[in-house]
Amino acid sequence: MSSVSLNAGCVVAMLGKDCVALATDHRFGIEALTMSTDYKKAYHIAPRMYLGMTGLPIDILMVRDRVLFRKNLYELRENREMSPKPFSSMLSSFLFEHRFGPYYVEPVVAALDPKTLKPFICNMDLIGCINESDDYVVAGTCTEQLYGMCETLWRPNLDPEELFEVIAKSIVNAFDRDAMSGWGATVFVIEKDKITERALKTRMD
């Protein structure tokens, strides 16, 4: 088992019409041993931006803190809110700087651009290779199941309520087929004027 998948978990981000959604599961474990069922994997980075990460918990917290520090310095220097693409590039550069002793994380960024309000999603590997998508991105131990469900259910121009239904069904059905993920999920739907957070109750075994 790789270090990235040691603690398991999954994250998925999905585009809609003028909105974007991010969903994570709640399980924190050490291989098959479940340690917690309310572990947080998504972080509010900016008014319309979320960062989800799976991997080693200490690396997740370290990457979050150091990237937030760099983001705050950027905003102080530029006197404006950081948009998703520069943030993703900064995160990618940070991970690539440590490629010889990498942080064992798989980040997923979901956001709306602060000026154009254009939806943006991307994921990257542990050394920062960016994969920007126009439909959905996934990370974690059940990526094959997530890709299958997303490919089946996703369609263009989903409104916020439809997007919630699609991403919720995708992540629940995916981690039901993965013993290393699950124990409920949280879905964030980001719109231009609000962020809706919903918790999903699922099978607890």
Side-chain angles (χ1 to χ4, degrees):
M1 179 175 288
S2 71
S3 298
V4 177
S5 59
L6 176 68
N7 300 109
C10 59
V11 180
V12 55
M14 197 174 281
L15 286 182
K17 183 179 181 182
D18 302 322
C19 58
V20 65
L22 179 81
T24 72
D25 73 325
H26 290 168
R27 181 182 183 272
F28 164 59
I30 300 173
E31 296 185 354
L33 177 63
T34 299
M35 306 295 292
S36 173
T37 59
D38 58 356
Y39 184 64
K40 184 178 180 181
K41 298 186 179 84
Y43 303 98
H44 197 187
I45 300 298
R48 297 183 187 90
M49 188 190 310
Y50 268 84
L51 171 65
M53 286 188 282
T54 64
L56 293 178
I58 188 64
D59 284 358
I60 289 174
L61 295 176
M62 194 170 295
V63 169
R64 180 201 63 182
D65 291 346
R66 294 189 176 184
V67 168
L68 273 175
F69 176 74
R70 293 188 178 198
K71 171 189 165 289
N72 291 338
L73 284 180
Y74 173 94
E75 292 181 341
L76 281 171
R77 184 176 63 250
E78 299 289 331
N79 196 27
R80 60 190 171 93
E81 184 183 328
M82 196 173 198
S83 56
K85 283 194 176 183
F87 175 80
S88 300
S89 298
M90 180 189 69
L91 175 56
S92 174
S93 297
F94 173 77
L95 293 174
F96 190 71
E97 285 173 12
H98 299 85
R99 62 193 178 278
F100 299 116
Y103 292 104
Y104 291 105
V105 297
E106 292 182 292
V108 173
V109 178
L112 297 181
D113 188 277
K115 288 188 176 180
T116 64
L117 298 178
K118 182 180 177 182
F120 174 90
I121 58 172
C122 78
N123 65 347
M124 54 192 82
D125 61 13
L126 75 170
I127 60 169
C129 179
I130 296 178
N131 170 37
E132 186 179 340
S133 177
D134 58 2
D135 43 23
Y136 46 82
V137 293
V138 305
T141 55
C142 58
T143 53
E144 293 88 354
Q145 295 90 335
L146 278 168
Y147 273 125
M149 290 306 306
C150 292
E151 187 175 352
T152 301
L153 298 175
W154 184 87
R155 61 186 189 278
N157 298 318
L158 294 166
D159 66 36
E161 197 60 35
E162 292 172 332
L163 183 63
F164 166 75
E165 291 290 337
V166 169
I167 198 170
K169 288 178 181 177
S170 297
I171 194 169
V172 169
N173 282 282
F175 64 53
D176 272 353
R177 291 161 175 80
D178 176 33
M180 306 293 286
S181 310
W183 290 78
T186 300
V187 179
F188 304 90
V189 180
I190 306 168
E191 302 172 64
K192 64 179 181 180
D193 54 352
K194 65 179 179 178
I195 296 175
T196 306
E197 178 181 348
R198 296 181 183 177
L200 306 177
K201 290 185 178 180
T202 64
R203 54 187 293 179
M204 309 290 274
D205 57 0

